[in-house]
């Protein structure tokens, strides 16, 4: 029997009925979002907007701003934002958005230092308010972090029974664009409590909708044609919303939201009854008006035969692995309900008539405290990997046990490097670490002046790594002493490439650099693209035989002459064509292979620049390939996707050989190989082990 580590507990989510109302006394507050200080005249627009709010709604006790408070998340922008808030006399609560952490030199460290905590709770007149950070480091997507979900559960469960709570964060959940990978986990958690209202942003509009008895309301921005804000007037029985437009006297009143969240006991639990058959029965006295399902954001359909509570889905359209099915059911009273369930599929074998073979495609899994955005590294029989819970782990792959771990106190995005019995990594605390690979004893730790989002390169007795303090460092691999540091104009996220004593790297300053690896002296630098926003700053460069491959954020792939930085060739995508942008290249022979955000794995000839390899991993619906760099073994290429899948591509035929679903959870990491197994970290708070050759093709 296979052993399961950090086993998935409780395949189907559980249901809890709504809670009774708690006593609330009247008050008023304001909600705005997406002020984007740092872009155009947005700082002045924020000041003006806050003054108008003070004048128009003097009774408001506080203001909630749900993210994207800056445009690029720099320290200067965050400082300007805090200065702009002085235009109001009211208390302001802020949460980060994707713009505050995606391009920031500090991740979210400076937000917490300059603006305030990224998770906060406060009580006001009988209501508990909780602000959360759902933005992701260096990504545009959203995720309910494992550690914050534990805090949320604790802060809701500590309330008196029936006491209401209002939650705020940036991205809107349950959106057709799938900003989240685990928003159903959030929906299931809050159904146990009286959460009548959730505030969000991101869309610069006033969208409002309701699921499971909870209303979701998007906040307006302080700039643009639709600029405005919501005023929320709270009474003991209801929360009344009003939309105000800046510079206009008209007020748009909205339907009141009951203070006691509508009970959500109409549908029962969604569960798997048998292979391909699911059950969702309405409670006594209710009937379904309609019901639809979606599996892995891919397969959709209508849940028929609901009078029996059972419906069938064609799971043969799915790859093997773990899947999430979400049912949206509308009852006769007009309320919409969400139910979710996870289920596993295995391949059909030649000697089995059952759809589910007893051999699983997930052979082991390890639980993480938060999601994983760091690639695992395998050395011998040990896997080394960091995660967003701050723990750096060494896992014995023979036994599955944790060999040792180290608390780095902050998120780790670095891919560890193992050389001569030592393992090197870095974290957002700004430190580079060297541990004894066998015992985990810290050998040295060297600090930089800002967070580190990059991975180290270890070669010739040196550790080369970029930092959020705008410098590329060379440190002694033996002692950690800083040998030199080279100043760029913005932060450095990528890992440099090294050939013939020269380092090649880009930064978020739109320059691409060549630096002498021994002295740290500049050899040459060339502009990367047309603007800073299109810098060559995310994909790691690759170098071979005097040719340097780098990718810019206009989806162009460039090959430079290593001697002077001149262009040897450039592949510029056609209009509206999305290409490589985040996934780093892997070189095999004269070919460079990368993932692209349009869901294609592409390959370019390093000599000619010809794009001679192009595979759409999921033609039926785009499955974006962001940061996951390909792993190539023999004639097979392996890569992870935003959709939470791992793909195997047969290189000679340019076809997908198979795929495995690992739901729910974005995959931004590249896989590592251990014998006949693949290991990959997921934002689903897990590291998965799967066979390199599953039972049958996709």
């Amino acid at each position: 029997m296979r052993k399961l580590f950090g086993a998935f507990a409780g395949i189907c989510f559980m249901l809890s009925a709504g809670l009774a109302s708690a006593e609330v006394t009247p008050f008023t507050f304001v909600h705005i979002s997406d002020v984007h200080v740092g872009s155009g005249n947005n700082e002045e627009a924020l000041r003006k907007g806050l003054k108008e709010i003070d004048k128009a709604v003097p009774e408001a006790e506080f203001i909630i701003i749900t993210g994207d408070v800056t445009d690029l998340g720099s320290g200067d922008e965050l400082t300007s934002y805090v200065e702009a808030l002085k235009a109001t006399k009211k208390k302001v609560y802020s949460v980060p958005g994707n713009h505050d952490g995606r391009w920031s030199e500090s991740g979210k460290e400076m937000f917490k230092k300059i603006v305030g905590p990224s998770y906060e709770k406060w009580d006001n007149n009988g209501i508990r308010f909780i602000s959360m950070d759902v933005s992701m480091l260096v990504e545009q997507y959203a995720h309910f972090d494992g550690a914050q979900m534990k805090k949320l559960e604790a802060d809701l469960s500590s309330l008196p029974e029936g006491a209401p709570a209002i939650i705020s964060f940036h991205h809107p959940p349950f959106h057709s664009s799938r900003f989240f990978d685990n928003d159903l986990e959030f929906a299931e958690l809050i159904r146990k409590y009286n959460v009548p209202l959730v505030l969000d942003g991101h869309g610069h509009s006033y969208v409002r909708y309701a699921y499971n008895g909870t209303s979701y309301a998007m906040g307006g921005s302080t700039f643009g044609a639709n600029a405005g804000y919501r005023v929320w007037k709270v009474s003991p029985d209801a929360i009344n919303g009003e939309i105000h437009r800046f510079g206009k006297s008209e007020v748009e009143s909205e339907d009141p939201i009951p203070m006691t969240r509508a009970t959500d006991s109409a549908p029962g639990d969604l569960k798997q009854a048998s292979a391909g058959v699911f059950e969702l029965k309405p409670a006594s006295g209710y009937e379904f008006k309609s019901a639809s399902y979606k599996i892995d954001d891919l397969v959709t359909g209508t849940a028929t035969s609901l009078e029996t509570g059972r419906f069938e889905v064609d799971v043969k359209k799915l790859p093997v692995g773990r899947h999430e099915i979400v049912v949206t059911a509308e009852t006769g009273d007009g309320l919409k309900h969400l139910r979710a369930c996870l289920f596993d599929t295995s391949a059909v074998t030649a000697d089995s008539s059952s759809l589910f073979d007893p051999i699983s495609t997930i052979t082991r899994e390890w639980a993480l405290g938060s999601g994983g955005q760091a690639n695992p590294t395998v050395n011998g029989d040990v896997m080394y990997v960091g995660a967003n819970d701050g723990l750096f782990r060494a896992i014995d792959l023979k036994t599955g046990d944790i060999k040792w771990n180290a608390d780095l106190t902050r998120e780790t995005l670095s891919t560890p490097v193992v050389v001569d019995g030592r393992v090197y990594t870095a974290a957002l605390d700004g430190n580079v670490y060297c541990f004894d690979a066998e015992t985990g004893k810290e050998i040295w730790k060297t600090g930089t002046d800002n967070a580190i989002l990059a991975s180290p390169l270890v070669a010739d007795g040196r550790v080369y790594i970029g930092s959020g303090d705008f410098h590329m460092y060379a440190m002694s691999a033996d002692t950690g002493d800083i040998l030199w540091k080279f100043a760029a104009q913005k932060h450095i996220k990528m890992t440099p490439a090294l050939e013939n004593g020269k380092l090649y790297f880009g930064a978020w300053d739109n320059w691409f650099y060549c630096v002498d690896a021994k002295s740290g002296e500049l050899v040459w630098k060339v502009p990367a693209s047309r603007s800073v926003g299109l810098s060559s700053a995310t994909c790691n460069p690759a170098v071979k035989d005097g040719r340097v491959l780098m990718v810019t954020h206009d989806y162009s792939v460039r090959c430079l002459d290593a001697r002077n930085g001149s262009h040897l060739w450039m592949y510029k995508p056609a209009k509206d064509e999305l290409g490589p942008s985040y996934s780093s290249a892997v070189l095999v022979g004269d070919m460079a292979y990368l993932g692209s955000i349009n869901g294609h794995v592409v390959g370019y000839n390093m000599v000619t620049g010809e794009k001679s390899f192009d595979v759409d991993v999921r033609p039926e619906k785009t499955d974006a390939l962001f940061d996951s760099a390909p792993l190539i073994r023999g004639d097979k290429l392996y890569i992870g996707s935003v959709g939470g899948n791992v793909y195997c591509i047969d290189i000679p035929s340019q076809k997908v050989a198979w795929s495995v679903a690992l739901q729910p959870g974005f995959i931004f990491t590249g896989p590592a190989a251990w014998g006949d197994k693949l290991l990959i970290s997921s934002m689903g708070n897990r590291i998965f082990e799967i066979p390199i050759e599953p039972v049958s093709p996709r």
Side-chain angles (χ1 to χ4, degrees):
M1 180 179 292
R2 65 187 176 92
K3 189 176 181 182
L4 189 65
F5 298 89
F8 175 77
I11 291 293
C12 290
F13 299 119
M14 300 304 295
L15 171 71
S16 179
L19 300 173
S21 178
E23 184 176 348
V24 173
T25 56
F27 68 98
T28 299
F29 70 97
V30 171
H31 172 211
I32 57 177
S33 191
D34 296 81
V35 299
H36 288 270
V37 168
S39 176
N41 296 319
N42 291 347
E43 181 180 347
E44 181 55 33
L46 174 58
R47 293 178 190 272
K48 183 179 178 181
L50 292 173
K51 290 178 181 178
E52 183 173 328
I53 289 171
D54 276 3
K55 184 177 180 180
V57 199
E59 70 274 21
E61 297 188 19
F62 54 85
I63 299 170
I64 296 176
I65 302 182
T66 49
D68 280 2
V69 303
T70 65
D71 202 50
L72 296 175
S74 70
D76 290 343
E77 288 183 350
L78 290 165
T79 299
S80 296
Y81 169 71
V82 171
E83 286 297 311
L85 294 184
K86 294 178 181 179
T88 179
K89 298 177 182 178
K90 304 182 190 305
K91 169 71 175 176
V92 177
Y93 296 93
S94 307
V95 297
N98 55 295
H99 274 258
D100 303 313
R102 185 179 181 187
W103 297 286
S104 173
E105 63 266 33
S106 71
K108 302 172 190 175
E109 295 302 300
M110 282 192 292
F111 183 98
K112 289 180 278 191
K113 181 179 180 181
I114 297 172
V115 179
S118 58
Y119 182 99
E120 196 167 3
K121 71 171 182 178
W122 68 98
D123 296 331
N124 197 87
N125 291 30
I127 295 181
R128 172 154 294 176
F129 287 82
I130 300 172
S131 63
M132 300 179 66
D133 175 17
V134 299
S135 65
M136 291 186 60
L137 290 165
V138 306
E139 306 292 352
Q140 68 188 37
Y141 294 96
H143 177 77
F144 288 103
D145 173 77
Q148 287 210 9
M149 288 289 275
K150 287 183 178 179
K151 288 182 181 179
L152 177 63
E153 175 91 62
D155 289 338
L156 291 175
S157 64
S158 65
L159 284 168
E161 183 174 345
I166 294 176
I167 302 171
S168 58
F169 45 74
H170 181 62
H171 293 76
F174 326 123
H175 195 277
S176 58
S177 296
R178 203 192 182 205
F179 299 122
F180 286 91
D181 58 348
N182 65 337
D183 42 6
L184 270 298
E185 181 184 349
F186 170 78
E188 290 295 326
L189 189 156
I190 67 170
R191 280 203 301 124
K192 297 182 288 185
Y193 305 99
N194 184 19
V195 181
L197 178 61
V198 171
L199 307 174
D200 56 53
H202 196 63
H204 298 232
S205 67
Y206 305 95
V207 174
R208 191 172 130 180
Y209 53 89
Y211 286 109
N212 297 347
T214 295
S215 292
Y216 295 80
M218 188 177 290
S221 176
T222 50
F223 67 95
N226 206 27
Y229 55 97
R230 264 196 177 94
V231 175
W232 294 102
K233 297 183 177 181
V234 178
S235 71
D237 299 321
I239 307 170
N240 294 276
E242 296 177 349
I243 297 174
H244 295 236
R245 314 284 179 170
F246 287 115
K248 298 180 180 180
S249 58
E250 296 86 358
V251 174
E252 180 183 337
S253 296
E254 300 179 297
D255 291 337
I257 298 170
M259 183 59 66
T260 301
R261 180 179 63 83
T263 182
D264 191 37
S265 58
D269 294 334
L270 175 65
K271 60 184 179 181
Q272 183 181 15
S274 60
V277 178
F278 294 85
E279 182 176 279
L280 180 64
K281 292 183 177 180
S284 177
Y286 290 91
E287 63 179 19
F288 291 125
K289 182 178 178 181
S290 64
S292 60
Y293 67 84
K294 179 180 288 188
I295 303 176
D296 299 353
D297 197 38
L298 175 64
V299 176
T300 60
T302 300
T304 58
S305 302
L306 278 176
E307 63 273 7
T308 66
R310 294 193 173 191
F311 61 96
E312 293 187 34
V313 301
D314 186 3
V315 293
K316 291 183 179 180
K317 294 181 179 179
L318 299 170
V320 295
R322 179 164 297 157
H323 309 276
E324 180 181 54
I325 180 171
V326 179
V327 173
T328 304
E330 184 175 348
T331 44
D333 54 9
L335 294 179
K336 291 184 177 180
H337 310 268
L338 293 174
R339 296 294 185 270
C341 181
L342 300 184
F343 64 98
D344 287 2
T345 59
S346 295
V348 179
T349 57
D351 58 351
S352 173
S353 60
S354 171
L355 179 65
F356 294 91
D357 189 86
I359 302 174
S360 174
T361 52
I362 301 173
T363 51
R364 288 188 294 186
E365 51 191 284
W366 292 266
L368 303 172
S370 295
Q373 290 180 260
N375 299 329
T377 294
V378 173
N379 185 65
D381 294 319
V382 181
M383 172 173 59
Y384 301 91
V385 64
N388 289 347
D389 61 4
L391 289 180
F392 183 73
R393 297 165 172 84
I395 299 174
D396 187 320
L397 292 172
K398 285 187 174 180
T399 66
D401 297 331
I402 302 293
K403 189 178 180 71
W404 56 264
N405 60 45
D407 187 358
L408 307 187
T409 73
R410 293 292 191 276
E411 300 95 332
T412 302
L413 272 63
S414 291
T415 302
V417 178
V418 183
V419 176
D420 296 334
R422 295 182 174 192
V423 57
Y424 302 86
T425 191
L428 267 76
D429 66 349
N431 289 308
V432 181
Y433 293 87
C434 174
F435 297 102
D436 184 288
E438 177 65 24
T439 66
K441 179 182 178 181
E442 184 180 298
I443 298 173
W444 56 259
K445 176 176 72 175
T446 299
T448 68
D449 293 327
N450 210 328
I452 296 179
L453 304 166
S455 298
L457 167 69
V458 182
D460 304 324
R462 296 184 174 200
V463 179
Y464 301 100
I465 194 165
S467 171
D469 66 9
F470 303 178
H471 287 84
M472 176 64 70
Y473 285 81
M475 301 176 183
S476 166
D478 186 40
T479 65
D481 292 341
I482 297 174
L483 305 176
W484 55 257
K485 61 180 184 177
F486 173 84
Q489 296 175 29
K490 290 288 184 180
H491 67 284
I492 302 168
K493 179 187 177 294
M494 62 170 52
T495 303
L498 174 66
E499 186 178 67
N500 296 329
K502 303 294 189 295
L503 288 176
Y504 305 92
F505 59 92
W508 274 112
D509 56 8
N510 200 34
W511 289 103
F512 193 83
Y513 298 92
C514 173
V515 171
D516 185 276
K518 183 176 181 180
S519 67
E521 296 294 323
L522 177 68
V523 178
W524 53 258
K525 68 175 184 178
V526 295
S529 189
R530 302 187 306 275
S531 67
V532 169
L534 302 177
S535 296
S536 176
T538 304
C539 293
N540 296 335
V543 60
K544 183 178 181 182
D545 299 334
R547 295 173 177 269
V548 184
L549 188 85
M550 60 97 153
V551 178
T552 51
H553 278 276
D554 57 1
Y555 313 119
S556 296
V557 180
R558 294 167 165 84
C559 186
L560 308 181
D561 189 320
R563 295 170 298 181
N564 53 29
S566 61
H567 273 65
L568 298 175
W569 56 261
M570 178 176 74
Y571 180 87
K572 187 175 182 179
K575 185 179 180 181
D576 299 326
E577 177 187 354
L578 300 178
S581 185
Y582 291 82
S583 173
S584 299
V586 173
L587 304 183
V588 178
D590 288 333
M591 291 295 295
Y593 298 93
L594 309 91
S596 61
I597 64 175
N598 64 353
H600 290 237
V601 176
V602 292
Y604 303 88
N605 186 291
M606 284 283 286
V607 177
T608 67
E610 177 189 5
K611 186 173 80 168
S612 56
F613 187 90
D614 192 338
V615 178
D616 187 347
V617 297
R618 194 173 70 180
E620 54 268 47
K621 186 174 183 180
T622 298
D623 194 1
L625 308 173
F626 263 65
D627 296 78
S628 182
L631 169 70
I632 296 178
R633 286 178 40 128
D635 60 1
K636 297 293 191 296
L637 180 151
Y638 307 91
I639 195 167
S641 74
V642 173
N645 301 295
V646 177
Y647 294 93
C648 171
I649 296 174
D650 180 75
I651 295 175
S653 66
Q654 296 198 30
K655 293 182 178 179
V656 175
W658 52 260
S659 66
V660 172
L662 301 173
Q663 303 293 329
F666 299 134
I667 296 177
F668 295 112
T669 63
W674 178 63
D676 60 353
K677 301 292 192 298
L678 285 181
L679 301 156
I680 194 159
S681 289
S682 163
M683 284 305 298
N685 304 338
R686 298 193 172 270
I687 303 169
F688 291 97
E689 178 189 78
I690 61 175
I692 282 185
E693 292 297 339
V695 179
S696 74
R698 177 177 181 266

